Amino acid sequence: MQLLRPSTGLNRAQWRTVQRQWHRQLSLHSPITARRQALPTSRLRVPRRQQSTSSSPPDSSLRNWIYGSATVVALGFGYLYITDTRASIHQFLVVPTLRLLHTDPEEAHHAGIKYIKGLYSFGLHPRERDTSDQERGDLKVEVFGHVLDNPVGTSAGIDKDADIPDPLFELGAAVVEVGGVTPHPQEGNPKPRVFRIPSQNALINRYGLNSEGAEHVAMQLRERVRQYAYDHGLGLDAEAERILLDGEAGVPPGSLREGRVLAVQVAKNKTTPDNDIAAVAKDYVTCVNHLAKYADILVVNVSSPNTPGLRDLQATAPLTAILTSVVDAAKSVQRKTKPAVMVKVSPDEDSDAQVDGICSAVWSSGVDGVIVGNTTKKRPDPIPKGYVMPSTEEKLLTEMGGYSGPQMFERTLSLVTRYRNKLDRGPWDDADGSSAASGTEPKRSPSAPPVPASAKPEKASARAANPIEASVARDAQNLKPLTPEADKASQQSIVKLPERHSTDDLQASGQVLEPASVNSVGSAIAPPPSNPASPSPTAPQEVEPTPAPYASLGPTTPPPSSTSPSNSQIPKTSATAKSTGFEPKVIFATGGIATGEQCLQILNAGASVCQVYTTMMYGGVGTVTRMKAEMREKMNKKSGKQ
């Protein structure tokens, strides 16, 4: 082409035109062009891009806005529903799904803890959105100087290492108990060690107090305090921590929430010899030294059925020595307000001598209260009344470990009534508990007044010589309020009755509250055997009515029209014990409490708080909210409200 160009006589522009025509002719005869011409013209169309100045149609913009708004609203309502403890999805979908994904109950438990902890860190955790506790205030109770929003709590075992105390508070519980915590880390018993009995909503466990140790749990609780101080603008230094722990921030130092308290359960290591009481006491004191300043309540666990020899410590002499050491250690904690001390007792130690011995140790040591109930070594009938049990579950009942479930309720109710009656009679006369050990009724001195804190020094030695007066003085000192306002408030009963549930109102309406009968429903677990040495039912006996915190459930008996009700018919509150000159002991109850109605029975029997564990394992994160709603419904029916 370059050679032919000079001979053509064409200029450069003409030559370029010839080249384009030539290339066009060549392309028309190429095979690629032939194939393209065979295709449909619709496939050869290339969509044109609209100019940037053109706008979309109005109907398209409106449609996009509607879709976007609907998506935002759906996500918002979905978030509010899923994170509300009242949502039934938690009980009927989340719990079965968790059990399906994790067939081993212990793995399901750990997975649930991780899920709740992770959701809480992103603000997506379940929480109680019902504000009835604050608005109505009909479930408030006063315990150890704290006015709690409600009388429902969670038991130890749900959060063994203080991983999720705040998420548990968010579920509506007024008392959260973490632990049990041992002085040093220990693995517990070999796996598998937890077994489900779904037909009874029950569990059998033999964990053996597996724990990360007191130092680890103390670090968890300390980080929680520091995070709270930082979030509320107090800083991260030691002074900010001191302000919180001394109660100067206006919240309890343990729970860090108004109307709530944090209990920390402590126990001994499995390897500590049971017959060395000094070593056992040292284990408990070690835990107290690490954990006391981060707790509102310290719980001494001597009732686990899965630690060999632990329940033997419930004998009067060793229990008194251990509890006295714990009380003294709790008093020495570097904090303005000292934590209360409670002891958790076994439901299997149910003979009169055993109960009397425990009560003697409680009064002698200066412990502030008792948690009645734990898992039991006893088993219900193979097929309890009202249940259909598969054969596979019948075999599980032979597994070693502690049983927990609704079948324990009647036993717990009976023990609460017995402990309330015995503790309200005051300290023993014989501090060594010899009468209690022998099974006879020890002498009591309910009329002896407590020794005031301002007693003269020369009388101190005389008090020390009398163990009873010494224990009373120690108890009074431990519970002495710090301000005149607190002193005035402390003169009120442990449980603050709502006005519409006062005794006077009940008498005026012809309703007299009595303790709920422990024999109203047949118990699958046999009740404690009667003591042959006890007086005959026909013999005259001293009747000690139990406190009735809530006028919602106990059987109502109208008084005779011609005479006034007898003293045995009129319920007495904790003022009964106060009138004798002694600060009454607080009772928490756990074991088989599955409904709000059962919780009311426990409260009417003399407890201040009912705690749940197994019920939450089957009922999910909405268990506490559901129970409180059931309690209010029952109370409204009793008071005639719809």
Side-chain angles (χ1 to χ4, degrees), residues 411-496:
R411 189 173 193 82
T412 301
L413 181 62
S414 173
L415 284 173
V416 169
T417 303
R418 295 173 64 193
Y419 272 99
R420 182 78 277 163
N421 288 337
K422 291 180 181 295
L423 288 173
D424 280 354
R425 295 175 186 174
W428 312 113
D429 256 346
D430 49 345
D432 59 357
S434 58
S435 297
S438 63
T440 60
E441 181 69 16
K443 297 181 180 180
R444 307 172 189 268
S445 55
S447 59
V451 180
S454 59
K456 295 182 180 181
E458 57 267 19
K459 294 184 179 181
S461 59
R463 281 203 315 272
N466 188 332
I468 299 301
E469 292 185 0
S471 66
V472 173
R474 180 168 58 248
D475 192 44
Q477 180 183 0
N478 188 38
L479 298 176
K480 183 174 179 58
L482 299 176
T483 63
E485 294 78 8
D487 182 66
K488 182 179 179 181
S490 69
Q491 301 305 315
Q492 304 176 15
S493 60
I494 290 179
V495 179
K496 289 188 174 180

Side-chain angles (χ1 to χ4, degrees), residues 195-213:
F195 308 92
R196 296 191 191 103
I197 308 179
S199 65
Q200 297 184 54
N201 287 345
L203 291 173
I204 294 176
N205 86 81
R206 51 171 181 262
Y207 277 113
L209 286 173
N210 54 310
S211 172
E212 293 290 340

Side-chain angles (χ1 to χ4, degrees), residues 258-306:
E258 187 177 358
R260 314 291 174 95
V261 292
L262 177 70
V264 179
Q265 184 187 115
V266 297
K268 80 175 189 71
N269 274 119
K270 189 176 182 178
T271 55
T272 304
D274 306 315
N275 56 357
D276 189 347
I277 301 302
V280 172
K282 183 179 179 181
D283 270 11
Y284 287 100
V285 171
T286 299
C287 291
V288 171
N289 292 338
H290 283 294
L291 301 166
K293 60 182 177 179
Y294 303 114
D296 300 310
I297 302 172
L298 288 170
V299 180
V300 181
N301 182 4
V302 291
S303 59
S304 171
N306 303 311

Side-chain angles (χ1 to χ4, degrees), residues 557-572:
T557 306
S561 57
S562 58
T563 59
S564 60
S566 63
N567 290 337
S568 62
Q569 290 176 308
I570 301 176
K572 297 181 181 180

